[in-house]
Every structure is written in structure tokens, then in C-alpha cells.
Amino acid sequence: MASASMSELASEPPALPLPTPPLSKAIFFFSLFSLCFCLLVDLILSVTPDKERNIKHGKKAFEEAAQKGAQLVLLPEIWNSPYSNDGFPVYAEDIDAGGDASPSTAMLSEVASRLKITIVGGSILSAADISCNTCCVFGSNGTLKAKHRKIRSVLLEHSTFLQPEGEWPHSMI
């Protein structure tokens, strides 16, 4: 009698059925996600050249989302101003200074604390380095929990971003 190979002797383990989540929780999660998404899409689509208005509109969207039960709110890139290379220097904020120098982060901090929500602040144009956007994360107590700066890739497409010799500007090193 020929001996069986190891692969012939191996068998698949029995499949375990996955538990079905309660329908009410699944619907609640989907509804909550949909609500937050809808509110933020409204925020994205209604950005104007008026930065103060954009910030107020964002604040209202956060309040509506929190009222519906949102605990985490995510913002898109450059949510507080038009996305235009010409306008970047005009709308940039001194995020490190905070307060009046960064009205967007001041609002995000205040709203996160007041509504007890966590806000991932999309990105805001950085006055410290105009080639960067900065994303700030505010915890439910309003404190800055994380900050991430990234190079705006749109600038890489424009020759004015590079030095005449094709080298990176000193601020990038």
C-alpha cells in the first residue's frame, strides 16, 4: 500500500460562522457615517473666498454632527479656503502661534472641547512654510493631540517651486 503524501493528509479546518451584527447597530453606524459624510460634503462644496464665513460654516457642521451623535469628525484638505495656488499665501495661518494667528485651529480646538468630539482637521495652509499643509488633530478636551505637515504636491508641478538649478528650496531641507 502506497503511503499518502502530507498534502493528501492535510484537511481544511472547519469554517466558523461569523456572528451577524445586530441590525440596529449596523443601521445606526451607517446612518451616523452618512450624516457626517453629508455634512462634510456640504462643507466642502460651499467653500468661498471668505475665510471667516468658511470657518463659521465648518463650526455649524460640527455642531450638527455632534448633535446627531458624532464623536469623530474628519475634515478634507484645505477646508477653510479656496484651493488655488494664487490664494495660498493669502489664506495661510501661523498654526504654531495659534489664537488670532490661526483662526481655523482656534475654532477646531474650541469646538472639540465644547462638543466633546475629536476632530481631524483636514489640512490648513501653513504660514511658517507656504510649501506645506498642516493637519491638526484635536482631542475631545480641545488639546492638540497631533500635527502632521506635508509638502503640497501641486507645487511640485510648477517650476517656480524649484530653484533655477533644479534644487530644493532651503525651507525643504
Side-chain angles (χ1 to χ4, degrees):
M1 176 172 190
S3 64
S5 69
M6 292 300 282
S7 60
E8 292 171 342
L9 295 175
S11 64
E12 291 184 26
L16 298 175
L18 295 174
T20 305
L23 189 55
S24 61
K25 286 185 181 178
I27 289 173
F28 174 75
F29 176 76
F30 180 75
S31 297
L32 185 58
F33 175 78
S34 297
L35 169 72
C36 292
F37 182 73
C38 290
L39 288 172
L40 295 179
V41 166
D42 179 48
L43 175 64
I44 297 166
L45 296 177
S46 62
V47 170
T48 71
D50 183 348
K51 184 175 179 179
E52 185 177 337
R53 182 216 167 268
N54 297 333
I55 294 170
K56 286 179 183 177
H57 188 71
K59 186 175 185 177
K60 181 180 174 190
F62 297 142
E63 290 167 347
E64 289 177 27
Q67 188 176 35
K68 301 291 183 185
Q71 295 177 350
L72 173 65
V73 180
L74 310 172
L75 287 171
E77 185 175 24
I78 319 277
W79 59 272
N80 63 348
S81 62
Y83 200 95
S84 163
N85 281 346
D86 296 339
F88 287 157
V90 175
Y91 295 101
E93 298 183 11
D94 188 347
I95 295 164
D96 294 330
D100 290 340
S102 183
S104 298
T105 58
M107 182 276 288
L108 295 176
S109 174
E110 183 273 322
V111 170
S113 175
R114 182 170 46 86
L115 301 176
K116 305 296 181 220
I117 60 175
T118 298
I119 298 175
V120 179
S123 65
I124 298 168
L125 298 165
S126 174
D129 187 347
I130 200 64
S131 64
C132 293
N133 295 340
T134 303
C135 175
C136 298
V137 178
F138 291 91
S140 59
N141 61 357
T143 61
L144 181 65
K145 298 291 187 183
K147 181 170 52 174
H148 170 72
R149 285 207 165 103
K150 74 170 187 91
I151 297 172
R152 289 188 295 114
S153 60
V154 70
L155 290 176
L156 296 174
E157 300 169 5
H158 299 283
S159 60
T160 57
F161 180 66
L162 298 176
Q163 299 294 329
E165 302 83 35
E167 297 177 7
W168 290 100
H170 294 289
S171 63
M172 301 301 294
I173 300 173

CSV table of all heavy atoms in Angstrom, one decimal, residues 112-171:
chain,number,residue,atom,x,y,z
A,112,ALA,N,-14.0,71.3,19.6
A,112,ALA,CA,-13.7,69.9,20.1
A,112,ALA,C,-14.0,69.9,21.6
A,112,ALA,O,-14.6,68.9,22.1
A,112,ALA,CB,-12.3,69.5,19.7
A,113,SER,N,-13.5,70.9,22.3
A,113,SER,CA,-13.7,70.9,23.7
A,113,SER,C,-15.1,71.1,24.1
A,113,SER,O,-15.6,70.4,25.0
A,113,SER,CB,-12.8,72.1,24.3
A,113,SER,OG,-13.0,72.2,25.7
A,114,ARG,N,-15.8,72.0,23.5
A,114,ARG,CA,-17.2,72.3,23.9
A,114,ARG,C,-18.1,71.2,23.6
A,114,ARG,O,-19.0,70.8,24.4
A,114,ARG,CB,-17.7,73.6,23.2
A,114,ARG,CG,-19.1,74.0,23.5
A,114,ARG,CD,-19.4,75.4,23.0
A,114,ARG,NE,-19.1,75.6,21.6
A,114,ARG,CZ,-19.8,75.3,20.5
A,114,ARG,NH1,-21.0,74.7,20.7
A,114,ARG,NH2,-19.4,75.5,19.3
A,115,LEU,N,-17.9,70.5,22.4
A,115,LEU,CA,-18.8,69.4,22.0
A,115,LEU,C,-18.3,68.0,22.4
A,115,LEU,O,-19.0,67.1,22.2
A,115,LEU,CB,-19.0,69.5,20.5
A,115,LEU,CG,-19.6,70.8,19.9
A,115,LEU,CD1,-19.6,70.7,18.4
A,115,LEU,CD2,-21.0,71.0,20.5
A,116,LYS,N,-17.1,68.0,23.0
A,116,LYS,CA,-16.6,66.7,23.5
A,116,LYS,C,-16.4,65.7,22.3
A,116,LYS,O,-16.8,64.6,22.4
A,116,LYS,CB,-17.4,66.1,24.6
A,116,LYS,CG,-17.6,67.0,25.8
A,116,LYS,CD,-16.2,67.3,26.4
A,116,LYS,CE,-16.4,68.2,27.7
A,116,LYS,NZ,-15.4,69.2,27.8
A,117,ILE,N,-15.9,66.2,21.2
A,117,ILE,CA,-15.6,65.4,20.0
A,117,ILE,C,-14.2,65.5,19.6
A,117,ILE,O,-13.5,66.4,20.0
A,117,ILE,CB,-16.5,65.8,18.8
A,117,ILE,CG1,-16.2,67.3,18.4
A,117,ILE,CG2,-18.0,65.6,19.1
A,117,ILE,CD1,-16.9,67.7,17.1
A,118,THR,N,-13.7,64.5,18.8
A,118,THR,CA,-12.3,64.5,18.3
A,118,THR,C,-12.4,65.0,16.9
A,118,THR,O,-13.3,64.6,16.1
A,118,THR,CB,-11.7,63.1,18.4
A,118,THR,OG1,-11.7,62.7,19.8
A,118,THR,CG2,-10.3,63.1,17.8
A,119,ILE,N,-11.6,65.9,16.5
A,119,ILE,CA,-11.6,66.5,15.2
A,119,ILE,C,-10.2,66.3,14.5
A,119,ILE,O,-9.2,66.6,15.1
A,119,ILE,CB,-11.8,68.0,15.2
A,119,ILE,CG1,-13.2,68.3,15.8
A,119,ILE,CG2,-11.7,68.6,13.8
A,119,ILE,CD1,-13.6,69.8,16.0
A,120,VAL,N,-10.2,65.6,13.3
A,120,VAL,CA,-9.1,65.5,12.5
A,120,VAL,C,-9.2,66.6,11.5
A,120,VAL,O,-10.1,66.6,10.6
A,120,VAL,CB,-9.0,64.1,11.8
A,120,VAL,CG1,-7.8,64.1,10.9
A,120,VAL,CG2,-8.9,63.0,12.9
A,121,GLY,N,-8.4,67.7,11.6
A,121,GLY,CA,-8.6,68.9,10.9
A,121,GLY,C,-8.2,69.0,9.5
A,121,GLY,O,-7.8,70.1,9.1
A,122,GLY,N,-8.3,68.0,8.7
A,122,GLY,CA,-8.0,68.1,7.3
A,122,GLY,C,-6.6,68.7,7.1
A,122,GLY,O,-5.7,68.2,7.7
A,123,SER,N,-6.5,69.8,6.4
A,123,SER,CA,-5.3,70.5,6.3
A,123,SER,C,-5.5,72.0,6.2
A,123,SER,O,-6.5,72.4,5.6
A,123,SER,CB,-4.4,69.9,5.2
A,123,SER,OG,-4.9,70.2,4.0
A,124,ILE,N,-4.6,72.7,6.7
A,124,ILE,CA,-4.6,74.2,6.7
A,124,ILE,C,-3.3,74.6,6.1
A,124,ILE,O,-2.3,74.1,6.4
A,124,ILE,CB,-4.8,74.7,8.1
A,124,ILE,CG1,-6.2,74.2,8.7
A,124,ILE,CG2,-4.8,76.2,8.2
A,124,ILE,CD1,-6.3,74.4,10.2
A,125,LEU,N,-3.4,75.7,5.3
A,125,LEU,CA,-2.1,76.2,4.7
A,125,LEU,C,-1.3,76.8,5.8
A,125,LEU,O,-1.7,77.5,6.7
A,125,LEU,CB,-2.5,77.3,3.7
A,125,LEU,CG,-3.3,76.8,2.5
A,125,LEU,CD1,-3.9,77.9,1.7
A,125,LEU,CD2,-2.4,75.9,1.6
A,126,SER,N,0.0,76.4,5.8
A,126,SER,CA,0.9,76.9,6.8
A,126,SER,C,1.7,78.1,6.4
A,126,SER,O,2.4,78.1,5.4
A,126,SER,CB,1.9,75.7,7.1
A,126,SER,OG,2.9,76.1,8.0
A,127,ALA,N,1.6,79.1,7.3
A,127,ALA,CA,2.3,80.4,7.0
A,127,ALA,C,3.8,80.2,7.3
A,127,ALA,O,4.6,80.9,6.7
A,127,ALA,CB,1.8,81.5,7.9
A,128,ALA,N,4.1,79.3,8.2
A,128,ALA,CA,5.6,79.0,8.5
A,128,ALA,C,6.3,78.5,7.3
A,128,ALA,O,7.5,78.8,7.1
A,128,ALA,CB,5.7,78.0,9.6
A,129,ASP,N,5.7,77.8,6.4
A,129,ASP,CA,6.3,77.2,5.2
A,129,ASP,C,5.2,77.1,4.2
A,129,ASP,O,4.4,76.1,4.2
A,129,ASP,CB,7.0,75.9,5.5
A,129,ASP,CG,7.8,75.4,4.3
A,129,ASP,OD1,7.6,76.0,3.2
A,129,ASP,OD2,8.6,74.5,4.5
A,130,ILE,N,5.1,78.0,3.3
A,130,ILE,CA,4.0,78.0,2.3
A,130,ILE,C,3.9,76.8,1.4
A,130,ILE,O,2.9,76.5,0.8
A,130,ILE,CB,4.0,79.4,1.5
A,130,ILE,CG1,2.6,79.6,0.9
A,130,ILE,CG2,5.1,79.3,0.5
A,130,ILE,CD1,1.5,79.9,1.9
A,131,SER,N,5.0,76.0,1.4
A,131,SER,CA,5.0,74.8,0.6
A,131,SER,C,4.3,73.7,1.3
A,131,SER,O,4.2,72.6,0.7
A,131,SER,CB,6.5,74.4,0.2
A,131,SER,OG,7.2,74.1,1.4
A,132,CYS,N,3.9,73.9,2.5
A,132,CYS,CA,3.3,72.8,3.3
A,132,CYS,C,1.8,73.1,3.7
A,132,CYS,O,1.5,74.2,3.9
A,132,CYS,CB,4.1,72.6,4.6
A,132,CYS,SG,5.7,71.9,4.3
A,133,ASN,N,1.1,72.0,3.9
A,133,ASN,CA,-0.2,72.0,4.6
A,133,ASN,C,0.0,71.3,5.9
A,133,ASN,O,0.9,70.5,6.0
A,133,ASN,CB,-1.2,71.1,3.8
A,133,ASN,CG,-1.5,71.7,2.4
A,133,ASN,OD1,-1.3,72.9,2.1
A,133,ASN,ND2,-2.1,70.9,1.6
A,134,THR,N,-0.8,71.7,6.9
A,134,THR,CA,-0.7,71.1,8.2
A,134,THR,C,-2.1,70.5,8.6
A,134,THR,O,-3.1,71.2,8.5
A,134,THR,CB,-0.2,72.1,9.2
A,134,THR,OG1,1.1,72.6,8.8
A,134,THR,CG2,0.0,71.4,10.6
A,135,CYS,N,-2.1,69.3,9.1
A,135,CYS,CA,-3.2,68.6,9.6
A,135,CYS,C,-3.1,68.6,11.1
A,135,CYS,O,-2.1,68.1,11.6
A,135,CYS,CB,-3.4,67.2,9.0
A,135,CYS,SG,-4.8,66.3,9.8
A,136,CYS,N,-4.1,69.1,11.8
A,136,CYS,CA,-4.1,69.1,13.3
A,136,CYS,C,-5.2,68.2,13.8
A,136,CYS,O,-6.3,68.3,13.3
A,136,CYS,CB,-4.2,70.5,13.8
A,136,CYS,SG,-2.9,71.7,13.4
A,137,VAL,N,-4.9,67.4,14.8
A,137,VAL,CA,-5.9,66.6,15.5
A,137,VAL,C,-6.1,67.1,16.9
A,137,VAL,O,-5.2,67.2,17.7
A,137,VAL,CB,-5.4,65.1,15.5
A,137,VAL,CG1,-6.5,64.2,16.2
A,137,VAL,CG2,-5.1,64.6,14.1
A,138,PHE,N,-7.4,67.4,17.2
A,138,PHE,CA,-7.8,67.9,18.5
A,138,PHE,C,-8.6,66.9,19.2
A,138,PHE,O,-9.6,66.4,18.6
A,138,PHE,CB,-8.5,69.3,18.3
A,138,PHE,CG,-7.7,70.4,17.9
A,138,PHE,CD1,-7.6,70.7,16.5
A,138,PHE,CD2,-7.0,71.2,18.8
A,138,PHE,CE1,-6.8,71.7,16.1
A,138,PHE,CE2,-6.2,72.2,18.3
A,138,PHE,CZ,-6.1,72.5,17.0
A,139,GLY,N,-8.2,66.6,20.4
A,139,GLY,CA,-9.0,65.7,21.2
A,139,GLY,C,-10.2,66.3,21.8
A,139,GLY,O,-10.5,67.5,21.7
A,140,SER,N,-11.0,65.4,22.4
A,140,SER,CA,-12.3,65.9,22.9
A,140,SER,C,-12.2,66.9,24.1
A,140,SER,O,-13.2,67.5,24.5
A,140,SER,CB,-13.2,64.7,23.4
A,140,SER,OG,-12.5,64.0,24.4
A,141,ASN,N,-11.0,67.1,24.6
A,141,ASN,CA,-10.8,68.2,25.6
A,141,ASN,C,-10.3,69.5,24.9
A,141,ASN,O,-9.9,70.4,25.6
A,141,ASN,CB,-9.9,67.7,26.7
A,141,ASN,CG,-8.5,67.3,26.2
A,141,ASN,OD1,-8.2,67.4,25.0
A,141,ASN,ND2,-7.6,66.9,27.1
A,142,GLY,N,-10.1,69.5,23.6
A,142,GLY,CA,-9.7,70.6,22.9
A,142,GLY,C,-8.2,70.8,22.7
A,142,GLY,O,-7.7,71.7,22.1
A,143,THR,N,-7.4,69.9,23.3
A,143,THR,CA,-6.0,70.0,23.2
A,143,THR,C,-5.5,69.4,21.8
A,143,THR,O,-6.1,68.5,21.3
A,143,THR,CB,-5.2,69.3,24.3
A,143,THR,OG1,-5.6,67.9,24.3
A,143,THR,CG2,-5.6,69.9,25.7
A,144,LEU,N,-4.4,70.0,21.4
A,144,LEU,CA,-3.8,69.5,20.1
A,144,LEU,C,-3.1,68.1,20.4
A,144,LEU,O,-2.2,68.1,21.3
A,144,LEU,CB,-2.7,70.5,19.6
A,144,LEU,CG,-2.0,70.1,18.3
A,144,LEU,CD1,-3.0,70.1,17.2
A,144,LEU,CD2,-0.9,71.2,18.1
A,145,LYS,N,-3.5,67.1,19.8
A,145,LYS,CA,-3.0,65.7,20.1
A,145,LYS,C,-1.9,65.4,19.0
A,145,LYS,O,-1.0,64.6,19.4
A,145,LYS,CB,-4.1,64.7,20.0
A,145,LYS,CG,-5.2,64.9,21.0
A,145,LYS,CD,-4.7,64.6,22.4
A,145,LYS,CE,-5.8,64.6,23.4
A,145,LYS,NZ,-5.3,64.4,24.8
A,146,ALA,N,-2.1,65.8,17.8
A,146,ALA,CA,-1.1,65.5,16.8
A,146,ALA,C,-1.1,66.6,15.7
A,146,ALA,O,-2.1,67.3,15.5
A,146,ALA,CB,-1.4,64.2,16.2
A,147,LYS,N,0.1,66.7,15.0
A,147,LYS,CA,0.2,67.7,13.9
A,147,LYS,C,1.1,67.0,12.9
A,147,LYS,O,2.1,66.5,13.2
A,147,LYS,CB,0.8,68.9,14.5
A,147,LYS,CG,1.0,70.0,13.5
A,147,LYS,CD,1.4,71.3,14.1
A,147,LYS,CE,2.6,71.2,15.0
A,147,LYS,NZ,3.0,72.5,15.5
A,148,HIS,N,0.6,67.1,11.6
A,148,HIS,CA,1.4,66.5,10.5
A,148,HIS,C,1.5,67.5,9.4
A,148,HIS,O,0.5,68.1,9.0
A,148,HIS,CB,0.6,65.2,10.0
A,148,HIS,CG,1.2,64.7,8.7
A,148,HIS,ND1,2.4,64.1,8.7
A,148,HIS,CD2,0.8,64.8,7.4
A,148,HIS,CE1,2.7,63.8,7.4
A,148,HIS,NE2,1.7,64.2,6.7
A,149,ARG,N,2.7,67.8,9.0
A,149,ARG,CA,2.9,68.7,7.9
A,149,ARG,C,3.3,67.9,6.7
A,149,ARG,O,4.1,66.9,6.7
A,149,ARG,CB,4.1,69.7,8.2
A,149,ARG,CG,3.6,70.7,9.2
A,149,ARG,CD,4.5,72.0,9.0
A,149,ARG,NE,3.8,73.1,9.7
A,149,ARG,CZ,4.2,73.6,10.8
A,149,ARG,NH1,5.2,73.1,11.4
A,149,ARG,NH2,3.5,74.6,11.4
A,150,LYS,N,2.8,68.3,5.5
A,150,LYS,CA,3.1,67.6,4.3
A,150,LYS,C,3.4,68.6,3.2
A,150,LYS,O,2.8,69.7,3.2
A,150,LYS,CB,2.0,66.6,3.8
A,150,LYS,CG,0.8,67.3,3.3
A,150,LYS,CD,-0.2,66.3,2.7
A,150,LYS,CE,-1.3,66.9,2.0
A,150,LYS,NZ,-1.1,67.2,0.6
A,151,ILE,N,4.2,68.3,2.3
A,151,ILE,CA,4.5,69.1,1.1
A,151,ILE,C,3.3,69.1,0.2
A,151,ILE,O,2.8,68.0,-0.1
A,151,ILE,CB,5.8,68.7,0.4
A,151,ILE,CG1,7.0,68.8,1.4
A,151,ILE,CG2,6.0,69.5,-0.9
A,151,ILE,CD1,8.3,68.2,0.8
A,152,ARG,N,2.9,70.2,-0.2
A,152,ARG,CA,1.8,70.2,-1.2
A,152,ARG,C,2.3,69.8,-2.6
A,152,ARG,O,3.1,70.5,-3.2
A,152,ARG,CB,1.2,71.7,-1.3
A,152,ARG,CG,0.4,72.0,0.0
A,152,ARG,CD,-0.3,73.3,0.0
A,152,ARG,NE,0.5,74.4,-0.2
A,152,ARG,CZ,0.6,75.2,-1.3
A,152,ARG,NH1,-0.2,75.0,-2.3
A,152,ARG,NH2,1.4,76.2,-1.3
A,153,SER,N,1.8,68.7,-3.0
A,153,SER,CA,2.3,68.1,-4.3
A,153,SER,C,2.0,69.0,-5.5
A,153,SER,O,2.7,69.0,-6.5
A,153,SER,CB,1.7,66.7,-4.5
A,153,SER,OG,0.3,66.8,-4.5
A,154,VAL,N,1.0,69.8,-5.4
A,154,VAL,CA,0.6,70.7,-6.5
A,154,VAL,C,1.8,71.6,-6.8
A,154,VAL,O,2.0,72.0,-8.0
A,154,VAL,CB,-0.7,71.5,-6.2
A,154,VAL,CG1,-0.5,72.5,-5.2
A,154,VAL,CG2,-1.2,72.1,-7.5
A,155,LEU,N,2.6,72.0,-5.8
A,155,LEU,CA,3.7,72.9,-6.1
A,155,LEU,C,4.8,72.2,-6.8
A,155,LEU,O,5.6,72.8,-7.5
A,155,LEU,CB,4.3,73.4,-4.7
A,155,LEU,CG,3.4,74.4,-4.0
A,155,LEU,CD1,4.0,74.7,-2.7
A,155,LEU,CD2,3.2,75.6,-4.8
A,156,LEU,N,4.9,70.9,-6.7
A,156,LEU,CA,5.9,70.1,-7.4
A,156,LEU,C,5.7,70.2,-8.9
A,156,LEU,O,6.7,70.0,-9.7
A,156,LEU,CB,6.0,68.7,-7.0
A,156,LEU,CG,6.3,68.4,-5.5
A,156,LEU,CD1,6.2,67.0,-5.2
A,156,LEU,CD2,7.7,68.9,-5.3
A,157,GLU,N,4.5,70.5,-9.4
A,157,GLU,CA,4.2,70.6,-10.8
A,157,GLU,C,4.6,71.9,-11.4
A,157,GLU,O,4.6,72.1,-12.6
A,157,GLU,CB,2.7,70.3,-11.0
A,157,GLU,CG,2.3,69.0,-10.5
A,157,GLU,CD,0.8,68.8,-10.5
A,157,GLU,OE1,0.1,69.7,-11.0
A,157,GLU,OE2,0.3,67.8,-10.0
A,158,HIS,N,4.9,72.9,-10.5
A,158,HIS,CA,5.2,74.3,-11.0
A,158,HIS,C,6.7,74.6,-10.9
A,158,HIS,O,7.3,74.4,-9.9
A,158,HIS,CB,4.4,75.3,-10.2
A,158,HIS,CG,2.9,75.1,-10.4
A,158,HIS,ND1,2.3,75.4,-11.5
A,158,HIS,CD2,2.0,74.5,-9.6
A,158,HIS,CE1,1.0,75.1,-11.4
A,158,HIS,NE2,0.8,74.5,-10.2
A,159,SER,N,7.3,75.1,-12.0
A,159,SER,CA,8.7,75.3,-12.0
A,159,SER,C,9.1,76.4,-11.0
A,159,SER,O,10.3,76.4,-10.5
A,159,SER,CB,9.2,75.7,-13.4
A,159,SER,OG,8.5,76.9,-13.8
A,160,THR,N,8.2,77.3,-10.5
A,160,THR,CA,8.6,78.3,-9.6
A,160,THR,C,8.9,77.7,-8.2
A,160,THR,O,9.5,78.4,-7.4
A,160,THR,CB,7.4,79.3,-9.4
A,160,THR,OG1,6.2,78.6,-9.0
A,160,THR,CG2,7.2,80.1,-10.7
A,161,PHE,N,8.5,76.5,-8.0
A,161,PHE,CA,8.8,75.8,-6.7
A,161,PHE,C,10.2,75.4,-6.6
A,161,PHE,O,10.8,75.5,-5.5
A,161,PHE,CB,7.9,74.6,-6.5
A,161,PHE,CG,8.1,73.9,-5.2
A,161,PHE,CD1,7.7,74.5,-4.0
A,161,PHE,CD2,8.6,72.6,-5.2
A,161,PHE,CE1,7.9,73.8,-2.9
A,161,PHE,CE2,8.7,71.9,-4.0
A,161,PHE,CZ,8.4,72.5,-2.9
A,162,LEU,N,10.8,75.1,-7.7
A,162,LEU,CA,12.2,74.6,-7.7
A,162,LEU,C,13.1,75.8,-8.0
A,162,LEU,O,12.8,76.8,-8.6
A,162,LEU,CB,12.4,73.6,-8.8
A,162,LEU,CG,11.6,72.3,-8.7
A,162,LEU,CD1,11.9,71.4,-9.9
A,162,LEU,CD2,12.0,71.6,-7.4
A,163,GLN,N,14.3,75.7,-7.4
A,163,GLN,CA,15.3,76.8,-7.7
A,163,GLN,C,15.8,76.7,-9.1
A,163,GLN,O,15.6,75.7,-9.8
A,163,GLN,CB,16.5,76.5,-6.8
A,163,GLN,CG,16.2,76.6,-5.3
A,163,GLN,CD,15.8,78.0,-4.8
A,163,GLN,OE1,16.2,79.0,-5.4
A,163,GLN,NE2,14.9,78.0,-3.9
A,164,PRO,N,16.3,77.8,-9.7
A,164,PRO,CA,16.7,77.7,-11.1
A,164,PRO,C,17.6,76.5,-11.4
A,164,PRO,O,17.5,76.0,-12.5
A,164,PRO,CB,17.5,79.1,-11.3
A,164,PRO,CG,16.9,79.9,-10.2
A,164,PRO,CD,16.6,79.0,-9.0
A,165,GLU,N,18.5,76.1,-10.5
A,165,GLU,CA,19.3,75.0,-10.8
A,165,GLU,C,18.6,73.6,-10.6
A,165,GLU,O,19.2,72.6,-10.8
A,165,GLU,CB,20.6,75.0,-9.9
A,165,GLU,CG,21.4,76.2,-9.9
A,165,GLU,CD,20.8,77.3,-9.1
A,165,GLU,OE1,20.3,77.1,-8.0
A,165,GLU,OE2,20.9,78.5,-9.5
A,166,GLY,N,17.3,73.7,-10.3
A,166,GLY,CA,16.6,72.5,-10.0
A,166,GLY,C,16.7,71.9,-8.6
A,166,GLY,O,16.4,70.7,-8.4
A,167,GLU,N,17.3,72.7,-7.7
A,167,GLU,CA,17.5,72.2,-6.3
A,167,GLU,C,16.3,72.5,-5.5
A,167,GLU,O,15.5,73.5,-5.8
A,167,GLU,CB,18.7,72.8,-5.8
A,167,GLU,CG,20.0,72.4,-6.5
A,167,GLU,CD,21.2,73.1,-5.9
A,167,GLU,OE1,21.1,73.8,-4.9
A,167,GLU,OE2,22.3,73.0,-6.5
A,168,TRP,N,16.1,71.8,-4.4
A,168,TRP,CA,15.0,72.1,-3.5
A,168,TRP,C,15.3,73.4,-2.7
A,168,TRP,O,16.5,73.7,-2.4
A,168,TRP,CB,14.9,71.0,-2.4
A,168,TRP,CG,14.4,69.7,-3.0
A,168,TRP,CD1,15.1,68.6,-3.3
A,168,TRP,CD2,13.1,69.4,-3.3
A,168,TRP,NE1,14.3,67.7,-3.8
A,168,TRP,CE2,13.0,68.1,-3.8
A,168,TRP,CE3,11.9,70.1,-3.2
A,168,TRP,CZ2,11.9,67.5,-4.2
A,168,TRP,CZ3,10.7,69.5,-3.5
A,168,TRP,CH2,10.7,68.2,-4.0
A,169,PRO,N,14.3,74.2,-2.5
A,169,PRO,CA,14.5,75.4,-1.7
A,169,PRO,C,15.0,75.0,-0.3
A,169,PRO,O,14.8,73.9,0.2
A,169,PRO,CB,13.1,76.0,-1.5
A,169,PRO,CG,12.2,75.3,-2.6
A,169,PRO,CD,12.9,74.0,-2.9
A,170,HIS,N,15.7,75.9,0.4
A,170,HIS,CA,16.3,75.7,1.7
A,170,HIS,C,15.2,75.3,2.7
A,170,HIS,O,15.5,74.5,3.6
A,170,HIS,CB,17.1,76.9,2.2
A,170,HIS,CG,18.3,77.1,1.3
A,170,HIS,ND1,19.4,76.3,1.4
A,170,HIS,CD2,18.5,78.1,0.4
A,170,HIS,CE1,20.3,76.8,0.5
A,170,HIS,NE2,19.8,77.8,-0.1
A,171,SER,N,14.0,75.8,2.6
A,171,SER,CA,13.0,75.5,3.6
A,171,SER,C,12.5,74.0,3.5
A,171,SER,O,11.9,73.5,4.4
A,171,SER,CB,11.7,76.4,3.4
A,171,SER,OG,11.2,76.1,2.1
